Structure formats: C-alpha cells, structure tokens
Amino acid sequence: MILPIRDILTVETTKATRFGHHGLTVIISGHEELFLEFGFEDRRRAFASILERQIEDIRKRPNPGEATALSRGKRDALILEEFEPRNSLSSDSDAATPSEAMSESLPAVMFTSASSTFLTFKPKESLHFTFLTIGSRGDVQPYIALAKGLMADGHRVKIATHGEFQTWIESVSMRIS
C-alpha cells in the first residue's frame, strides 16, 4: 500500500480488536480510516511518534505544485537542517522517543530525506510483510499480485487467508523463488 504522508490527517490511539493488543487509527484524507494493531503499547507509541514527526515535517514543506523561489542561503539552510540530529519534539509520555533497545523492532522510517520518493526508495535490508485477508478469490488475488512484486524485490511475504486458497498461493510463491 502506498500512503502519501501528506494525505494523513491525524493519528489516534484506540482500543484494539483483540485482547492484549493496542490499536492505532490513521485517518486519511478522502479515504477510510486505517486500523493498526500492536502487540506492545510502547511500540505503538513509538510508531505514532515517528509518524507524527513525519507528518509535521511534510506539512512544513511547500506543496509539490507550488512554485517557491528559495535563495541559495535558504536552500543551504534546509539541506543542513535535514542532516541535524533530531531532538524529542515534546516531553510528554505519549510522544517519547523510542529507546535504543526498541530500535530493531520498530518499523522502518521510510522518508527522512526530501529527495526520497516512493519510486526511488529502497530499504537497506529486506522487510517482512504479512497480509491478512478474508473473503473470496477477488479479495485474495490483489494481495498475491502485491506479494509477487515485493518478493521480486527480495522481501519476505506471507498471506494469511482461508485454507481453500493455500494451494493457489503456494503455487504462485514457488514460481517466484
């Protein structure tokens, strides 16, 4: 799923649908809400903090269609600002910066550079994706196509769905390997 950060209106913590999990709702302009569940509250808090920082960074930038004339000094200042270390944005417990111990279990921060786009971004190491879908063949097929593309890029992918689709999904994954 490609979700432009500029389209995210807000991020809200919510109750999860399963006991022992922690929910996060991402409200997207012009779309339905996206619900995420985390196994640990501190991971949800860290992810929400990262996402809120990225939303704030994007909102500070001009829209892609706007013409902006930056002086050389302003352009150089923006480049230097991009490479400065980030400080915690607030001191309250909900926006706590993730600790070093958690950094390996956190989702990848995709765009820390103004020059990165979805077309040029490649993670340093392969990522693991699990798609959960229920329903008919038409509900499963788009995830198979997405999984094929991700596997071709070297990522690990699982599709969790009804057992009746197991042979079909496994036959597709064998052709990619």
Side-chain angles (χ1 to χ4, degrees), residues 25-143:
T25 303
V26 179
I27 300 174
I28 306 160
S29 174
H31 300 283
E32 293 188 30
E33 301 163 335
L34 179 64
F35 298 99
L36 305 169
E37 287 187 350
F38 294 83
F40 299 96
E41 185 175 8
D42 56 343
R43 290 182 183 170
R44 174 188 67 182
R45 187 180 318 119
F47 178 76
S49 174
I50 290 168
L51 194 54
E52 286 168 351
R53 271 198 314 262
Q54 289 181 344
I55 291 168
E56 186 175 315
D57 287 346
I58 290 292
R59 288 187 180 152
K60 288 179 184 176
R61 297 180 196 160
N63 286 331
E66 294 177 3
T68 57
L70 296 176
S71 68
R72 181 177 169 87
K74 177 69 174 170
R75 207 172 30 245
D76 290 344
L78 289 173
I79 290 170
L80 288 174
E81 183 179 285
E82 183 176 332
F83 291 106
E84 285 181 2
R86 295 192 182 261
N87 296 329
S88 180
L89 295 175
S90 67
S91 60
D92 66 359
S93 63
D94 284 341
T97 307
S99 67
E100 289 295 323
M102 274 187 51
S103 64
E104 289 199 17
S105 64
L106 289 176
V109 177
M110 294 181 69
F111 298 102
T112 57
S113 167
S115 62
S116 290
T117 67
F118 281 107
L119 298 176
T120 62
F121 171 73
K122 293 285 183 185
K124 293 177 185 166
E125 53 190 54
S126 71
L127 302 175
H128 184 93
F129 296 88
T130 301
F131 302 123
L132 173 62
T133 182
I134 56 173
S136 67
R137 179 182 174 101
D139 295 306
V140 176
Q141 193 161 2
Y143 290 101

